[in-house]
Amino acid sequence: MNWIDNYVEGLIELYNTRDVYDLYDCLEIDIVKLDKNNILLLDSEAFYNRNYLGIETVFIRNNLSTRYERFILAHELGHAVIHTYMPYASFNRKLINKGKIEKQANYFALKLLNINLKDECYRNLTINQISSMLELPIKVINDFKI
């Protein structure tokens, strides 16, 4: 996924930060925290909306740990930056490979947050241990561990 690496490196170079909150400010994407039962979240942690009242917005649960919130925000930023075609394809869900775009957004988030699951420090740990230590879903660890 070298092309995603290029997006991440470009953002960091352009805005001189890899801090997800700073990048949201620079890109003028609003973050709106909602109660986990809010109907807008549809039982998920967050979602990105390209045009909510004329602005880009990420709606996110208000009860996430700080570390997990940063990952989720980085993931949603990935959708904003690398999936610019989504508003058009979303009218026909058969045209979207949801697993592929979610994996790409997860990869973007890991790169932005400088998390390398192939790092030596994770070598002898189980998937569950890494998941717990990084506060990331097991699926993310499974997709990028080896």
Side-chain angles (χ1 to χ4, degrees):
M1 293 194 212
N2 289 342
W3 64 277
I4 296 175
D5 294 343
N6 293 336
Y7 274 93
V8 172
E9 290 166 14
L11 274 176
I12 293 167
E13 184 177 321
L14 180 63
Y15 296 111
N16 199 31
T17 186
R18 70 179 332 122
D19 181 85
V20 70
Y21 299 100
D22 290 344
L23 290 169
Y24 269 76
D25 287 342
C26 292
L27 295 169
E28 298 180 349
I29 300 173
D30 285 352
I31 299 169
V32 176
K33 294 188 178 186
L34 300 172
D35 184 72
K36 69 178 182 175
N37 297 322
N38 191 296
I39 194 165
L40 288 175
L41 292 175
L42 299 172
D43 295 324
S44 63
E45 282 95 1
F47 81 94
Y48 166 72
N49 188 300
R50 191 167 303 284
N51 186 11
Y52 178 73
L53 302 176
I55 54 176
E56 291 180 273
T57 306
V58 168
F59 298 93
I60 187 166
R61 279 186 17 207
N62 63 2
N63 65 340
L64 302 177
S65 71
T66 302
R67 190 173 207 170
Y68 190 49
E69 178 180 289
R70 286 172 38 87
F71 176 79
I72 294 298
L73 288 172
H75 171 99
E76 296 302 328
L77 185 61
H79 286 307
V81 172
I82 65 175
H83 297 135
T84 57
Y85 59 88
M86 289 305 295
Y88 308 107
S90 62
F91 291 114
N92 186 347
R93 296 208 180 267
K94 292 179 183 176
L95 298 176
I96 299 171
N97 183 339
K98 188 169 175 15
K100 179 180 177 180
I101 64 168
E102 290 303 312
K103 188 172 181 176
Q104 289 171 345
N106 284 338
Y107 181 82
F108 180 97
L110 291 171
K111 285 296 183 179
L112 180 63
L113 299 174
N114 206 23
I115 299 170
N116 181 1
L117 294 173
K118 295 178 184 175
D119 192 290
E120 190 67 27
C121 68
Y122 304 119
R123 186 169 179 221
N124 295 319
L125 299 177
T126 68
I127 299 295
N128 287 340
Q129 289 170 324
I130 298 168
S131 173
S132 177
M133 184 170 66
L134 296 175
E135 298 180 38
L136 295 177
I138 289 173
K139 178 172 180 16
V140 173
I141 308 301
N142 276 331
D143 284 348
F144 299 105
K145 172 77 167 88
I146 297 173

